Structure formats: C-alpha cells, structure tokens
C-alpha cells in the first residue's frame, strides 16, 4: 500500500515487485516436480515416502540435524562474545573485518583452505570438520544480527548497574541479556538456516559423511535429479521458509514490545 | 574505562579466547593454503618446497582461459547486479514507508537464504526446452521452435549469478544510503542544486562505502563460482570454482591452493581499497548503533 502523500509511488513498487518475483519464482519448480511423474495408482506423496526408504539419505538427514543443532548453539555464543568484544575494545574495524572476512571469500576457496588446514594438522574429515566450516560461514551473519539488537540496547543501564555495585558479568546477565536474548535466538535460527543450506564448503571437508545438501549435489553430478530429490528439495525449501517465518515472528515481537 | 583490574582480566579471557580461536580458524587456513601453493605435487600427495609449478600450471594453459573468462563474467555480472541492487536499495531507503522498511528488506533476504544451488536447479527447469518459459512462448505462438538460447548460454549463466548474489547486495547499499544525514541533501537543495545533481554529487558519493562492499561480495562470488556454471553453463563451461574443484579431483593440492590463494589475494586487494578509500565510520556506526 502506498501512502497518499506520494502519488507516484507505484513505479517504485512495480520495480521492487518485479525484482522480487524473479527472486521467488525459483522456489516453486521443485514442489511441482515432486508431484510429477506419478504412475496411476501411486499416492500423491510417493516421492516423499521414497526419501525415507533410502538409508543413505536418512543418514545424511541425521547428519544435517546433528551438525545444524551444534552450529545453531555454538555460532550465536561466539557471535555474542565477539560482539561484546567489539563494543568494549578499541579496534572495532579490525575485529569486524576479521569476522566478516568469510563472507567475501568464495565458498570453494574457503573450503580448499580449511581442507588443507585440517590435512596439515592431521585431522581427518569428519562431522566435526564439517561443523567447523559451517560455524565459520554462519558467524558473520550471526554477528551482524546480534550487533543490531545490541545497538538498540541503551548502555546507560549497564553503567547504572555498575554504579549500584554489580560486576560486569552480573550486569550483563541481569540487565542486558533479558533485553537482547531474542536477538540471540534469532542468530541461532539464522545459523541453523545457513547450516541447512550450505553445500560447497561442507562438501570439500566431508570425507565419507554426507549432509542432505552434499548428498543432493553429489547425486546431481553422478546421476541427475529424480522426483525423490525434488521432494527432498521441496522439504528443504519449506523448512527454510518456516524457520524464516519464525525469525520474522520473533523480530516483530521484539520491535512490538519496544514501542 | 573505570572497570576494576580483576574483571578486565576476566573480560580479556572471555572475549579474547573466542576471538583468537575464530581468528586462527579463519586466517591460519588461508596462510597454510598460501604456503602450500608453492609446494610440489608428488603422485597422490605433495611435499614442502618453494616452486612456482602450481602458478605456472594455473597461468599457462587451458586454466588461464577459465581465469580470464571468470574475470570478465565476474566484472560484468557485478555491474548488472549493482544496476539492480542500487535502485532497489535506493527505493527502499527513500520511497518505502519507514514502518515497512524492515519487512521489505526481509522479503529480499528470504530467497538469498535458500541454498542458491537449489534455486539454480530451478532455473534450469524453468528455462529448459520443455520448461515454463518455452511452453508459454510456444503457446503464445511467438515462435515455432522452443528458444534454445535460454538455457546453457551466457544468458542463463548471468541470470543464475545475478539471482544468486544480488539479493545480499541490497543490504549494505541500503545501510549506507539510510545512514546519510538528510541535512546534507537538504543543504544541497537549498544551495540551488536540482534533484539529479544532489543525487550525483551528494547521495551517490556518500553511499559508495556500501556500494563497494556489495560490489566486492558480488564480484568475488561470481569469480569463484562453480555451481551456476555447472548447472546453467552447459557442457564444458567452467568458471574458476570449477577449475579449483577439478584440481582437487585430480589430487593436485598445490594447484587448487594456488588458484584459491589468487582468488583470496584479489579479494584482499579489493578489501584494502575499501578500507583505504572510504571513511567507514558512518557505515560501521549504522551497524553498531553509533552515529
């Protein structure tokens, strides 16, 4: 809806709408494919059921869930500590530059770097190495999310707590944390989403284990995409959208309570 | 700061340890990779040395073609991405009602968060000979034959790259546009400049820190790309990411390291320019809530 004071707003919205349409259209085809190619007599959800008949795929789903939950716990904690360091130390440019660095390195290059790093250290590819590369990938985003909520927190409260005799840890736990925890939760969901959607960094350090995404990419390269894989993609897209909706809900509640 | 000695030591550990760990996990792999790029390939492994074999293999031969193509594709697609992302960010910063800004930004970030490989698969589906676009064009009767320049072409590669990386470029540009002090624009108006001059001489220059950050992100992403080129480029079409993965496949670690190091080096040079050219306080202040 455009406001009445600016009658010429419709070209702007048309442009934004067109760009958005181009971005959202690719989310649809997997869902359409996942219901296609059904033999007569087969149920609508045949291709979805096939996902759970594939032991390799079930294994990679479990790996994805395990790695995802670890990434979702570790990343926000690191991001919180780094954001606190950013605020209290004198070199915010340097620290932020370091944390944001993985954003600007192509996934293939970062994957090669970490793979060689683990190799030189004698660490074999495992679920742990897969988790580490995903934490490094999610960290810049989680840090930005937490920095944004921390920016809305008025630091004079901490000074007041300090003057009343609270030590910094207690002041943080009792005053700041209750006000920013929804942002931390948001960073956790964000990290989970990024973990669920990461392919190349993970696939270079995967060894014999698979996540859903590396399995999908390997299958595409070896045999091509089947209706079952389209069903899998549909579930992945749906899971991502649900998590994003959850994040949006959290966000609207935070900004709602502030008004 | 008037914090007591004991708690500042505790703080040093609480913040220092994670920061050093994270720093080590980001910088050490890049450093080791740079070192390995000078090592020698031996059979199925490598040994420490100081030779330029890997760089020679990279810069002479077929891989050089891939390198030049990646450079061109990355530069041109980055320009296209900016031409879309800048107006988007500008409209969000100037035309969208303040209470809707967050929602619109959110709408732009949703597709970015769905793995772009899945979205690229979908483009192959949409653009194929029996895909949605061709079905529609045939149904309209515009052509007799399906259009075959839609898929496995320059067009599809650029479309894939733009939809993969452009959404995330909106955010930094919006960040620097919305951080501009309105009074500067008003001053320009009052001094008699029209809207076009005000934009070119005040708004655009002040938004460059965000534009440059977005440009680096899009450029480096497209430069090291592997999935879009594999899925939408057709047989044999390679960008630098494919070249790196193929070096890994033949267990030539020094070569993969050399190509990756080159990419990271290029990124580092661009980042250095970014830090040198611009006053990033406005940009950072916006993120960290200082102005």
């Amino acid at each position: 809806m455009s406001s009445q004071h600016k009658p010429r707003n419709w070209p702007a919205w048309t442009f934004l709408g067109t760009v958005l349409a181009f971005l959202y259209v690719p989310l649809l085809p997997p869902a359409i494919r996942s219901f296609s190619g059904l033999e007569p007599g087969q149920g609508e959800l045949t291709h979805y059921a096939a996902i759970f008949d594939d032991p390799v795929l079930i294994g990679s789903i479990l790996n994805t869930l395990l790695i995802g939950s670890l990434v979702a716990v570790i990343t926000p904690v690191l991001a919180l500590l780094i954001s606190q360091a950013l605020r209290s130390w004198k070199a915010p440019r340097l620290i932020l530059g370091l944390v944001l660095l993985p954003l600007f390195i192509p996934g293939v290059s970062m994957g090669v770097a970490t793979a060689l790093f683990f190799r030189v250290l004698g660490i074999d590819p495992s679920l742990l190495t897969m988790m580490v590369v995903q934490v490094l990938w999610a960290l810049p985003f989680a840090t930005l999310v937490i920095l944004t909520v921390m920016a809305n927190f008025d630091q004079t409260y901490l000074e007041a707590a300090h003057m009343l005799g609270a030590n910094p840890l207690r002041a943080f736990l009792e005053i700041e944390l209750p006000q920013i925890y929804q942002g931390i939760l948001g960073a956790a969901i964000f990290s989970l989403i990024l973990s669920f959607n990461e392919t190349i960094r993970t696939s270079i350090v995967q060894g014999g284990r698979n996540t859903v995404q590396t399995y999908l990419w390997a299958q595409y390269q070896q045999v091509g995409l089947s209706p079952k894989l389209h069903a899998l993609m549909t579930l992945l897209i749906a899971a991502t959208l649900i998590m994003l909706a959850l994040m949006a809900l959290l966000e609207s509640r935070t900004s709602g309570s502030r008004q | 700061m008037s914090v007591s000695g004991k708690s500042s030591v505790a703080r040093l550990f609480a913040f220092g340890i994670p920061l050093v760990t994270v720093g080590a996990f980001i910088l050490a792999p890049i450093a080791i990779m740079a070192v390995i790029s000078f090592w020698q390939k031996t059979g199925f492994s490598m040994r420490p040395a100081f030779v330029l074999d890997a760089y020679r293999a990279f810069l002479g031969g077929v891989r050089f073609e891939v390198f030049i193509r990646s450079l061109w594709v990355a530069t041109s697609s980055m320009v296209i991405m900016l031409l879309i992302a800048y107006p988007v960010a500008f409209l969000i910063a100037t035309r969208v009602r303040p209470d809707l800004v967050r929602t619109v930004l959110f709408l732009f970030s949703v597709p970015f968060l769905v793995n772009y490989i899945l979205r690229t698969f979908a483009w192959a589906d949409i653009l194929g000979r029996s895909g949605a676009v061709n079905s529609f064009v045939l149904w309209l009767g515009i052509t007799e034959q399906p259009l075959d320049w839609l898929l496995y072409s320059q067009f599809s590669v650029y479309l894939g790259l733009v939809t993969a990386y452009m959404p995330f470029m909106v955010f930094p540009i919006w960040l620097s546009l919305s951080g501009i002090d309105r009074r500067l624009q008003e001053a320009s108006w009052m001094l008699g400049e029209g809207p076009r001059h005000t934009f070119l001489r005040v708004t655009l220059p002040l938004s460059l820190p965000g534009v440059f950050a977005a440009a680096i992100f899009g450029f480096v992403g497209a430069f090291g790309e592997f999935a879009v080129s594999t899925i939408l480029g057709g047989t044999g079409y390679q960008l630098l990411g494919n070249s790196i993965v193929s070096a890994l496949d033949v267990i030539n670690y020094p070569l993969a390291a050399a190509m990756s190091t080159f990419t990271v080096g290029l990124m580092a040079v661009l980042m250095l320019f970014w830090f040198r050219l611009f006053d990033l306080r406005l940009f950072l202040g916006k993120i960290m809530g200082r102005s």
Side-chain angles (χ1 to χ4, degrees):
Chain A
M1 244 180 284
S2 58
S3 70
Q4 290 136 359
H5 309 289
K6 289 175 190 158
R8 297 225 316 127
N9 250 357
W10 65 264
W13 285 104
T14 312
F15 178 70
L16 291 179
T18 312
V19 176
L20 280 175
F22 263 90
L23 296 176
Y24 278 83
V25 158
L27 302 183
L28 300 175
I32 299 168
R33 290 269 164 191
S34 72
F35 295 110
S36 71
L38 290 165
E39 309 278 321
Q42 281 184 321
E44 291 283 298
L45 296 175
T46 306
H47 299 315
Y48 289 86
I51 295 172
F52 301 98
D53 292 335
D54 182 343
V56 182
L57 196 41
I58 292 174
S60 54
I61 291 173
L62 292 177
N63 288 341
T64 300
L65 293 174
L66 177 65
I67 294 176
S69 18
L70 287 171
V71 170
V73 172
I74 295 169
T75 318
V77 173
L78 279 176
L80 177 64
L81 290 168
I82 287 168
S83 306
Q84 294 280 333
L86 260 166
R87 192 173 62 190
S88 41
W89 286 351
K90 290 253 161 63
R93 245 171 47 154
L94 195 70
I95 300 175
L96 195 62
L98 177 74
V99 175
L100 296 190
L101 198 59
L103 263 185
F104 293 96
I105 299 178
V108 178
S109 299
M110 201 61 211
V112 169
T114 35
L116 292 172
F117 174 68
F118 289 132
R119 201 184 151 86
V120 167
L121 290 183
I123 300 169
D124 287 328
S126 64
L127 293 181
L128 184 75
T129 58
M130 293 158 90
M131 187 207 71
V132 168
V133 292
Q134 293 194 355
V135 167
L136 292 178
W137 169 234
L139 193 61
F141 297 95
T143 308
L144 286 177
V145 171
I146 291 181
L147 277 176
T148 321
V149 281
M150 273 171 56
N152 289 326
F153 169 74
D154 188 350
Q155 286 185 59
T156 45
Y157 287 117
L158 287 181
E159 280 163 35
H162 182 65
M163 277 192 268
L164 293 171
N167 68 35
L169 180 66
R170 191 163 160 221
F172 169 75
L173 289 177
E174 290 186 11
I175 315 271
E176 188 172 8
L177 191 61
Q179 293 201 41
I180 64 167
Y181 85 94
Q182 285 183 321
I184 299 171
L185 212 58
I189 301 174
F190 214 102
S191 307
L192 191 63
I193 294 171
L194 288 164
S195 165
F196 272 15
N197 286 288
E198 214 296 311
T199 303
I200 189 65
R201 294 169 185 80
T202 319
S203 86
I204 294 181
V205 296
Q206 74 181 118
R209 306 295 198 100
N210 265 306
T211 63
V212 174
Q213 297 284 357
T214 64
Y215 174 82
L216 204 57
W217 181 242
Q219 287 290 306
Y220 167 76
Q221 290 200 298
Q222 286 156 18
V223 291
L225 297 173
S226 61
K228 178 179 80 180
L229 293 179
H230 279 111
L232 182 66
M233 285 193 256
T234 310
L235 292 181
L236 278 168
I237 293 173
T240 303
L241 294 182
I242 290 168
M243 286 189 284
L244 277 165
L246 211 65
M247 241 185 106
L249 202 71
L250 210 66
E251 157 104 21
S252 71
R253 267 184 35 200
T254 324
S255 51
S257 66
R258 209 177 286 126
Q259 276 157 13
Chain B
M1 223 179 261
S2 62
V3 197
S4 65
K6 204 180 97 188
S7 77
S8 89
V9 169
R11 198 181 282 211
L12 192 66
F13 278 99
F15 300 163
I17 291 172
L19 200 58
V20 169
T21 314
V22 166
F25 269 100
I26 294 171
L27 297 178
I30 294 170
I32 286 175
M33 178 172 76
V35 170
I36 287 179
S37 70
F38 295 103
W39 285 12
Q40 197 152 38
K41 174 184 162 31
T42 59
F44 290 110
S45 190
M46 54 193 173
R47 66 180 174 78
F50 188 79
V51 292
L52 293 172
D53 291 6
Y55 287 94
R56 226 170 271 138
F58 170 30
L59 294 172
V62 273
R63 290 182 195 275
F64 189 67
E65 274 172 43
V66 176
F67 165 68
I68 294 295
R69 179 190 302 143
S70 304
L71 211 54
W72 164 245
V73 169
T75 312
S76 47
S77 63
M78 178 261 284
V79 171
I80 298 173
M81 292 177 212
L82 283 178
L83 287 177
I84 301 170
Y86 196 95
V88 166
F90 186 82
L91 291 175
I92 295 175
T94 56
R95 291 297 182 85
V96 173
R97 253 177 28 215
D99 54 325
L100 289 178
V101 164
R102 298 195 76 92
T103 313
V104 177
L105 281 173
F106 181 75
L107 285 177
F108 274 91
S109 60
V110 167
F112 174 74
L113 288 163
V114 173
N115 190 350
Y116 77 96
I117 296 179
L118 305 194
R119 291 186 282 134
T120 309
F121 286 148
W123 277 128
D125 207 337
I126 295 169
L127 300 174
R129 285 180 75 85
S130 55
V133 176
N134 268 322
S135 308
F136 186 62
V137 170
L138 289 177
W139 178 76
L140 284 179
I142 296 174
T143 55
E144 298 285 306
Q145 296 291 317
L147 306 169
D148 49 16
W149 52 267
L150 284 176
L151 186 57
Y152 307 134
S153 61
Q154 294 280 322
F155 171 77
S156 55
V157 170
Y158 278 86
L159 183 67
L161 288 173
V162 168
T163 42
Y165 295 104
M166 190 278 293
F168 193 67
M169 292 166 68
V170 172
F171 187 68
I173 301 175
W174 170 80
L175 207 56
S176 57
L177 278 171
S178 62
I180 296 174
D181 191 339
R182 282 220 100 113
R183 283 171 298 184
L184 294 172
Q185 288 153 336
E186 282 158 16
S188 164
W189 278 73
M190 275 187 265
L191 293 171
E193 296 283 19
R196 221 186 67 185
H197 269 100
T198 302
F199 173 76
L200 287 176
R201 295 168 69 171
V202 179
T203 314
L204 184 64
L206 285 173
S207 66
L208 283 182
V211 172
F212 209 79
I216 300 177
F217 178 81
F219 174 83
V220 175
F223 187 65
E225 184 51 45
F226 74 104
V228 171
S229 40
T230 306
I231 301 167
L232 300 176
T235 324
Y237 186 90
Q238 290 200 334
L239 290 174
L240 201 67
N242 302 99
S243 206
I244 295 174
V245 171
S246 77
L248 279 183
D249 288 342
V250 297
I251 329 185
N252 192 339
Y253 297 121
L255 180 57
M259 287 189 280
S260 290
T261 307
F262 193 90
T263 314
V264 174
L266 194 63
M267 182 275 307
V269 171
L270 292 173
M271 291 283 266
L272 216 62
F273 269 118
W274 188 50
F275 271 60
R276 288 262 146 214
L277 281 176
F278 302 114
D279 178 6
L280 298 180
R281 271 173 302 182
L282 187 86
F283 194 63
L284 290 181
K286 188 78 185 163
I287 298 175
M288 298 173 62
R290 296 171 195 155
S291 45

